[in-house]
Amino acid sequence: MEFIPLVNVKQQFQDTKHSILSSIEKVIESGQYILGQNVLELERKLAEKLGVSDVITVGNGTDALVLTLKAYGITYGDEVITTPYTFFATAEAISRVGAIPVFVDIDSQTYNIDPKKIEEKISPATKAIIPVHLFGQAADMDDINTIANKYKLIVIEDACQAFGATYKGKYAGNLGNAACFSFFPTKNLGTIGDGGMITTSDQELAKKVRLLRQHGSQVKYHHQIIGYNSRLDELHASILLEMLEKIDVWNEKRREMANYYREKLQHVPYIKISPEGKDRTHVYHLFCIESPERDALMKWLSQFQIQSAIYYPCPLHLQEVYSKLNYRPGDLPVAEKMASNLFAVPIGPFLKKDEQERVIAALLAFGGAT
């Protein structure tokens, strides 16, 4: 029985190996490895696709968040509202610039930040909201933007898991003041290593981020501000240009698989699969199932050589590093419930039909084993 991985990154890059190797060879022959033509072309194509004026590529998704917060002047004593149910980098970036993350509970259907609970957490120190488009589905951006406009707050999308997702006909990355993406290998649009980008139509912000990503310098050896060293390499840009040609097809395959999971599992009593949010295109970076019997289900799947994983086992408000913020178990009950019940099963453009059937059959068989 062959092992079925949660995400088949190896096969994805095998599928594009010939074109990638050709692109890498051209970069090597060019002698231009930092901020060259591939980076410029990638930024241009991404801006055109997402409908924004500017794309600034950086070293990784975490840097994208840090540099965006820094460029907006968010600093010590400021507060930034975000979700507790996401990867640590979202809150980490807030802390890295000296600001304080303020956690708001999530919606039980989309697993994204619940806009109805945001306003009560706003204080005079609040400067921004970072909604996360979790697992590939956009947050309720109309409600979030309405609140932000009312209180004059910046909205920074954490779209690291959501390249290609849409909300009311617009792409994630074009739904707030700015957005941040990751090109980590397991992402829908990924490279063979780290990478990230910031998208915006705020040209003043774009100018500041470009300064920050390269030591605060526009002219070599002349520095206007204290910056960072966070640039996407030409090699990764060349790989991403190849991946960008395939991303729409890959995302559609993810959607087809998600729909098939729903069709086959919708009436299983011991699992819940949330519906897609209204007016959204979900791109299923992960396909997650909710179950009070999660641990037993995961152990059961492993017996059939099927990988599954927990996203996320400890919500951010209960992480040790944020103990001084004085959150307690029970403060954000929906996020805490999902941390106990939610897990991901295999999905991706290179998951074979018979492999997905194996996953479904194993999930269905669990009922006869309890």
Side-chain angles (χ1 to χ4, degrees):
M1 187 181 295
E2 288 189 12
F3 178 72
I4 302 175
L6 189 68
V7 182
N8 198 338
V9 174
K10 182 179 177 180
Q11 184 58 50
Q12 177 168 318
F13 289 110
Q14 282 293 119
D15 187 67
T16 52
K17 182 178 178 179
H18 179 76
S19 58
I20 285 174
L21 289 176
S22 176
S23 297
I24 289 173
E25 187 175 2
K26 289 176 183 176
V27 172
I28 292 170
E29 290 175 352
S30 75
Q32 177 66 59
Y33 307 135
I34 304 292
L35 295 182
Q37 289 303 309
N38 286 291
V39 166
L40 291 172
E41 179 70 1
L42 179 65
E43 291 180 345
R44 184 190 67 77
K45 285 189 172 183
L46 288 167
E48 183 179 321
K49 181 174 181 62
L50 299 181
V52 295
S53 68
D54 287 273
V55 166
I56 308 97
T57 54
V58 293
N60 54 68
T62 307
D63 281 0
L65 288 161
V66 171
L67 268 61
T68 303
L69 289 162
K70 189 77 174 176
Y72 273 123
I74 293 168
T75 188
Y76 291 91
D78 293 337
E79 293 179 354
V80 179
I81 289 173
T82 193
T83 169
Y85 197 62
T86 180
F87 181 59
F88 181 64
T90 310
E92 181 182 36
I94 296 167
S95 300
R96 280 276 301 278
V97 298
I100 302 164
V102 175
F103 298 113
V104 169
D105 210 355
I106 61 172
D107 176 79
S108 63
Q109 298 299 308
T110 65
Y111 312 129
N112 288 322
I113 192 169
D114 187 342
K116 297 188 295 294
K117 298 173 182 175
I118 290 176
E119 208 160 356
E120 65 191 52
K121 295 292 185 79
I122 294 173
S123 79
T126 306
K127 295 295 187 292
I129 305 171
I130 301 183
V132 178
H133 304 321
L134 197 68
F135 305 146
Q137 177 169 223
D140 293 307
M141 293 304 295
D142 278 0
D143 290 344
I144 291 168
N145 284 326
T146 297
I147 294 166
N149 289 335
K150 179 179 177 180
Y151 292 93
K152 296 181 172 56
L153 305 176
I154 298 295
V155 175
I156 301 167
E157 303 167 67
D158 182 336
C160 287
Q161 298 183 1
F163 188 90
T166 67
Y167 177 83
K168 295 190 174 181
K170 294 177 71 175
Y171 277 113
N174 189 15
L175 303 173
N177 298 97
C180 302
F181 291 80
S182 168
F183 298 134
F184 189 76
T186 58
K187 296 298 192 287
N188 292 35
L189 180 65
T191 185
I192 305 175
D194 276 316
M197 71 171 174
I198 295 128
T199 65
T200 187
S201 291
D202 180 343
Q203 294 184 337
E204 186 61 30
L205 174 77
K207 182 179 177 182
K208 289 178 181 177
V209 171
R210 286 195 174 93
L211 265 180
L212 284 167
R213 77 171 172 180
Q214 184 154 281
H215 304 290
S217 173
Q218 281 182 311
V219 179
K220 195 172 183 179
Y221 303 129
H222 295 269
H223 304 269
Q224 297 167 253
I225 58 174
I226 300 296
Y228 298 77
N229 180 14
S230 184
R231 301 168 298 203
L232 185 72
D233 296 338
E234 278 287 292
L235 286 172
H236 289 308
S238 72
I239 292 167
L240 287 161
L241 282 166
E242 298 295 333
M243 299 300 186
L244 189 59
E245 296 296 316
K246 302 175 184 291
I247 187 62
D248 290 340
V249 172
W250 288 346
N251 278 343
E252 188 55 37
K253 285 184 178 179
R254 289 174 181 271
R255 288 183 52 75
E256 289 171 5
M257 287 177 183
N259 288 335
Y260 191 64
Y261 273 133
R262 277 203 175 85
E263 177 189 337
K264 296 297 182 181
L265 300 172
Q266 61 181 325
H267 299 304
V268 178
Y270 44 86
I271 65 175
K272 175 188 172 185
I273 300 172
S274 288
E276 289 189 12
K278 187 180 177 183
D279 298 323
R280 276 166 266 211
T281 302
H282 197 322
V283 293
Y284 295 97
H285 169 61
L286 294 169
F287 187 84
C288 288
I289 289 173
E290 195 180 327
S291 176
E293 299 183 71
R294 178 186 69 188
D295 294 347
L297 263 170
M298 292 178 68
K299 185 177 180 180
W300 175 257
L301 290 175
S302 70
Q303 295 176 27
F304 294 91
Q305 293 296 296
I306 297 167
Q307 186 180 27
S308 58
I310 298 172
Y311 296 90
Y312 295 92
C314 180
L316 301 187
H317 67 292
L318 299 180
Q319 294 282 346
E320 179 182 353
V321 69
Y322 288 127
S323 60
K324 291 182 180 179
L325 297 180
N326 295 318
Y327 289 93
R328 296 288 181 266
D331 285 350
L332 303 176
V334 183
E336 291 167 35
K337 179 183 177 183
M338 297 311 159
S340 297
N341 288 8
L342 212 67
F343 71 108
V345 296
I347 197 168
F350 297 97
L351 182 69
K352 297 173 185 175
K353 184 70 172 180
D354 66 311
E355 291 176 328
Q356 187 178 21
E357 294 285 9
R358 268 180 60 197
V359 177
I360 291 167
L363 288 168
L364 292 173
F366 177 79
T370 57

